[in-house]
Amino acid sequence: MRSVYVIGIGITSFTRLEYPLSEIAAYPAMMAMKDAGRKEIDHLYVANMGSGRVNHQTGLASAVVDTLSLTPAGAEAIENGPASGASAIKTGYMAVASGVHDVVMVTGAERMREVNNLEATEFVATLTHPLAEYIYGVTLPSLAAMFTRLYMEKYGVTERHLAMVAVKNQNNALKNEFAHLQQEISIEGILDSPEAMTNNPYVAEPLRFFDCCPVSDGGACVILASEEVARKVERPLVRLAGVGQATDTHAVHEREEPTDLLAVRRAAAKSFEMAGLAPSDVDVAELHDAFTILEIVESEEVGFFPKGEGHLALERGETAIGGTLPINPSGGLKGRGHPVGATGIAQAHEIVHQLRGDAGERQVKDAKVGFTCNFGGFGNNVVCLTFVRGN
Amino acid sequence: MSADLESILRPVDNPMPPFPAKHVTIASGEEMVIRQVTRDEIPDILPHVAPLIYVERDFYDVVAARVYSELLSYYRYRIQDAYVLVAQIDGELCAVVNGRMATPEVGMSLHTLAMRRGLRIGAHAFAAKMEYHMDIMGQQEVLIVAESPIGFRRWMIEYNLEKRFDVPHELGGVPSWALTKELFDRARATLVVGRRPVPEELLEKAHAAILPPSDPPTPPEDLLAATRSQYDSTGTALILQRWRQEGKV
Ligand SMILES: CC(C)(COP(=O)(O)OP(=O)(O)OC[C@H]1O[C@@H](n2cnc3c(N)ncnc32)[C@H](O)[C@@H]1OP(=O)(O)O)[C@@H](O)C(=O)NCCC(=O)NCCS
């Protein structure tokens, strides 16, 4: 297999974008071409979850390849729920590593704000088990809430820990001009003040408003290339060294131990094995914090901290920018926003910035190894990526 | 003929008790003061409402245009039994809410305009206005409408408002929703919060000046402008975008 490098990156603001979905996918792609200094692309993958349902548009890849004037390059869309982004990167990786293509563009986009929040929540809920979950009115916040309750009882995580993740990530987002949420929050305001329960009401107990990511529009892109091409690009080399994917039961209640996220554990292990690295080698990570609890649990399952101790590392400040292992310096899904199909690519976008050393105010000092975890379904289809600076 | 037309045109307000200022700690941890403004202060508010008339999202345009006209009418005595409350953080204007005493028993909620988003500032300001109608004026119900889906979520869903569709609302004659005393009492514990009296220092700062909103909603940028300009050697798209942001076109 050939080595695969990221030669160009681009992103839109994550917010409400009143543009056609294909433009939301095309804009970061053009930024990425500019970043890479090349317009020749062999193949395009477009990550998206809901265009058919939310935007009444199918065949998105054909629209995007044409918007970008990249025809006759091949193009297709990749859908893997909220992990569509990293799945598309994985597919792009295989195309370059196998020698089928030299330069592959992977762009992701979602326009969820076309519908109101209630419909957006309903749309995302369609990824749950249709007979065992969806028909009973399950939504992602409600599944996450049940999971959180179990986790709290078993491992001693408290609402304060959840609020600490929210504050850390939403305030990291203030350092990211592309992030959706640009409002500082504090533990006092969301947990301790007499008005905190109104500022931060329960959405699905024990999860509160600020424990949930916002509904966002947005797009992100990475361009992957072979070493031969990458060496000609005037950008610091960033190699996609490990790609791991794993699945778990579709319905959450079928899992032997519902507080274990086995797909995360396995996907991370595969990704590290392929990269020849260990969790302890990671300098910076972007984890899928659609709900604050997920950052804590994923930080354990990928191997950064022992099971049940993620919240203790959080308490010690280890996951803050400036800590020993900063998690979600971009703001994560919580602060940067979560346009589902674009999220996995936005995570990679952040890690490339970090490894290039140009992440500005949120730069993690001397980051050499970066890691992403993109969580599909409720942990039933997970893709983890490991990136390294240089070779 | 020297008839004093103004005395005919100018409505005579019925007495209304003042809204006692309160303060709320918002999600950022900052202290927000909600207080009633006097007519004299309206000219300090209008310039911060005007730019929102050009923000299409969330019906800011419709709401801001109506609020502008209602505030101006209040200032120039062309609306009866109206009041205006503002929310301020360190003097900064964060939200404007207004309404009317339609009859001694029935309140007419006019508008809620949040100028800083993401911190439930609008929701707190709306709750204060409901408190004014129910607890301070002692009314039986308030008639409410929403222009935007987020308004609908905040008022109709969060307060579980009752339909009063046979009553056209003053805003556009659309069917009304009602907050009754019972619904208000149910919402009291969770939605209607804040403390009184406001510490002297906070109140003084709020009265000292109505400062401009630091991060008001703005019209969206042209997403593709920067990229188009790459293919457009004259850079017209970028210049146009800047002009648009500066309000020149
Ligand atoms: C309706 C209105 C008053 C509500 O104000 P509010 O209670 O302060 O509401 P907020 O600004 O806190 O709520 C929306 C914001 O919450 C934030 N948010 C959403 N989900 C979030 C999450 N999970 N975590 C943190 N923040 C989140 C976002 O910033 C969102 O703004 P966005 O739509 O730009 O993404 C205000 O939106 C407004 O003035 N709208 C225009 C006029 C209008 O509609 N008035 C009412 C007429 S009836």
Side-chain angles (χ1 to χ4, degrees):
Chain A
M1 275 201 317
R2 303 195 295 177
S3 292
V4 178
Y5 293 80
V6 183
I7 61 165
I9 54 174
I11 199 161
T12 67
S13 291
F14 281 17
T15 173
R16 180 192 314 200
L17 295 172
E18 287 161 11
Y19 304 93
L21 180 61
S22 43
E23 284 202 16
I24 297 174
Y27 173 76
M30 289 195 267
M31 301 309 277
M33 287 195 278
K34 186 172 180 218
D35 183 49
R38 69 177 283 145
K39 292 179 186 159
E40 299 76 32
I41 303 291
D42 299 337
H43 198 92
L44 170 71
Y45 291 106
V46 180
N48 171 268
M49 178 175 166
S51 72
R53 187 181 166 97
V54 179
N55 315 103
H56 209 71
Q57 180 175 7
T58 55
L60 187 60
S62 318
V64 178
V65 78
D66 185 39
T67 306
L68 288 167
S69 302
L70 287 179
T71 51
E76 57 250 334
I78 304 276
E79 193 271 321
N80 180 19
S84 300
S87 267
I89 293 179
K90 184 205 74 179
T91 312
Y93 173 92
M94 295 194 302
V96 176
S98 64
V100 171
H101 296 301
D102 287 327
V103 185
V104 170
M105 171 181 275
V106 186
T107 191
E110 205 73 58
R111 191 177 169 206
M112 306 165 74
R113 299 288 294 253
E114 187 156 347
V115 295
N116 66 47
N117 273 29
L118 307 177
E119 285 175 58
T121 304
E122 209 280 326
F123 146 63
V124 178
T126 59
L127 61 72
T128 60
H129 194 294
L131 299 178
E133 294 175 333
Y134 181 81
I135 54 162
Y136 298 106
V138 154
T139 59
L140 270 290
S142 65
L143 269 184
M146 291 187 268
F147 176 83
T148 308
R149 177 62 71 207
L150 286 175
Y151 222 82
M152 285 174 148
E153 280 172 15
K154 189 158 177 190
Y155 295 108
V157 173
T158 63
E159 287 192 20
R160 186 161 299 272
H161 293 113
L162 303 180
M164 284 168 73
V165 174
V167 169
K168 169 177 77 71
N169 292 356
Q170 196 162 326
N171 293 351
N172 282 352
L174 299 172
K175 301 186 173 81
N176 179 357
E177 60 181 314
F178 297 105
H180 185 158
L181 301 181
Q182 295 290 343
Q183 299 85 11
E184 190 172 350
I185 54 171
S186 69
I187 293 284
E188 167 70 8
I190 67 169
L191 199 69
D192 291 339
S193 75
E195 290 84 23
M197 194 51 104
T198 307
N199 294 335
N200 190 19
Y202 285 116
V203 170
E205 207 182 332
L207 290 178
R208 304 204 203 191
F209 178 73
F210 283 104
D211 290 313
C212 309
C213 65
V215 177
S216 324
D217 297 335
C221 177
V222 296
I223 301 177
L224 304 176
S226 63
E227 182 166 0
E228 195 189 339
V229 175
R231 292 213 174 273
K232 292 184 197 135
V233 172
E234 289 171 13
R235 289 278 176 230
L237 280 179
V238 173
R239 186 162 64 91
L240 176 48
V243 175
Q245 182 171 17
T247 52
D248 202 344
T249 62
H250 191 184
V252 177
H253 72 265
E254 284 178 357
R255 297 179 196 164
E256 208 166 300
E257 179 46 71
T259 49
D260 286 348
L261 293 175
L262 291 183
V264 173
R265 200 178 296 173
R266 289 171 178 148
K270 282 187 200 168
S271 176
F272 284 128
E273 191 191 336
M274 184 188 244
L277 294 165
S280 55
D281 295 316
V282 173
D283 300 307
V284 55
E286 288 279 311
L287 303 183
H288 194 110
D289 57 333
F291 303 98
T292 46
I293 185 71
L294 290 181
E295 175 177 306
I296 295 174
V297 183
E298 287 168 24
S299 73
E300 300 161 2
E301 296 288 12
V302 305
F304 294 156
F305 310 114
K307 184 77 184 163
E309 293 184 20
H311 63 295
L312 303 178
L314 172 78
E315 267 178 17
R316 293 191 295 266
E318 289 175 26
T319 56
I321 299 175
T324 47
L325 175 44
I327 295 178
N328 288 325
S330 71
L333 283 63
K334 171 71 200 108
R336 182 187 53 224
H338 185 25
V340 277
T343 283
I345 301 172
Q347 292 178 318
H349 177 278
E350 174 66 12
I351 293 299
V352 172
H353 265 316
Q354 292 286 350
L355 299 187
R356 283 179 178 179
D358 58 8
E361 266 187 274
R362 57 182 197 278
Q363 178 67 46
V364 171
K365 203 161 166 269
D366 201 27
K368 293 192 190 70
V369 177
F371 179 85
T372 67
C373 175
N374 195 190
F375 186 86
F378 195 82
N380 51 38
N381 203 330
V382 178
V383 183
C384 292
L385 306 173
T386 308
F387 297 84
V388 295
R389 189 166 82 191
N391 284 325
Chain B
M1 204 177 76
S2 64
D4 182 6
L5 258 188
E6 180 58 20
S7 69
I8 299 172
L9 295 173
R10 181 180 290 198
V12 180
D13 282 339
N14 290 297
M16 281 158 65
F19 173 82
K22 68 173 176 179
H23 70 114
V24 176
T25 306
I26 58 168
S28 59
E30 292 162 291
E31 288 300 319
M32 180 168 84
V33 174
I34 305 179
R35 67 178 181 96
Q36 185 164 16
V37 291
T38 59
R39 274 203 172 76
D40 295 350
E41 292 179 281
I42 298 296
D44 298 336
I45 303 173
L46 289 177
H48 311 309
V49 175
L52 302 178
I53 295 175
Y54 302 96
V55 180
E56 225 178 276
R57 65 183 286 202
D58 280 349
F59 289 79
Y60 266 97
D61 50 0
V62 173
V63 174
R66 287 176 165 179
V67 167
Y68 194 96
S69 98
E70 288 154 9
L71 296 193
L72 197 56
S73 314
Y74 180 56
Y75 183 60
R76 301 186 64 190
Y77 294 94
R78 289 298 180 270
I79 185 169
Q80 190 172 345
D81 297 337
Y83 65 89
V84 180
L85 312 182
V86 294
Q88 289 171 280
I89 299 169
D90 280 335
E92 174 189 332
L93 182 63
C94 298
V96 179
V97 286
N98 65 340
R100 263 183 17 84
M101 183 175 74
T103 71
E105 287 76 39
V106 180
M108 192 64 65
S109 170
L110 292 176
H111 287 103
T112 304
L113 195 60
M115 285 147 169
R116 223 167 109 180
R117 291 176 63 91
L119 299 168
R120 284 188 69 94
I121 285 173
H124 282 305
F126 177 85
K129 126 165 122 167
M130 294 305 120
E131 191 187 19
Y132 188 27
H133 284 282
M134 292 297 187
D135 286 351
I136 320 261
M137 290 194 233
Q139 295 188 301
Q140 293 307 311
E141 66 176 34
V142 188
L143 297 177
I144 300 164
V145 287
E147 278 98 344
S148 62
I150 173 146
F152 187 84
R153 229 170 44 230
R154 287 275 187 268
W155 330 140
M156 283 68 194
I157 297 181
E158 290 189 6
Y159 286 83
N160 204 8
L161 296 187
E162 272 177 22
K163 289 176 184 163
R164 201 61 95 247
F165 283 5
D166 48 324
V167 185
H169 196 277
E170 281 182 13
L171 295 178
V174 301
S176 299
W177 297 71
L179 178 78
T180 60
K181 252 197 139 22
E182 193 196 332
L183 290 177
F184 183 70
D185 282 336
R186 261 191 249 158
R188 201 183 279 281
T190 51
L191 296 172
V192 191
V193 291
R195 281 159 284 159
R196 296 189 173 91
V198 181
E200 200 55 39
E201 193 193 335
L202 275 181
L203 199 59
E204 265 173 30
K205 202 159 199 176
H207 278 289
I210 294 180
L211 300 174
S214 56
D215 187 19
T218 48
E221 290 170 24
D222 183 348
L223 188 63
L224 289 183
T227 317
R228 277 194 208 108
S229 69
Q230 254 181 274
Y231 300 92
D232 167 11
S233 54
T234 64
T236 320
L238 262 189
I239 293 169
L240 259 178
Q241 168 168 324
R242 204 177 62 231
W243 282 356
R244 229 176 274 134
Q245 284 167 343
E246 288 169 0
K248 288 187 186 154
V249 287

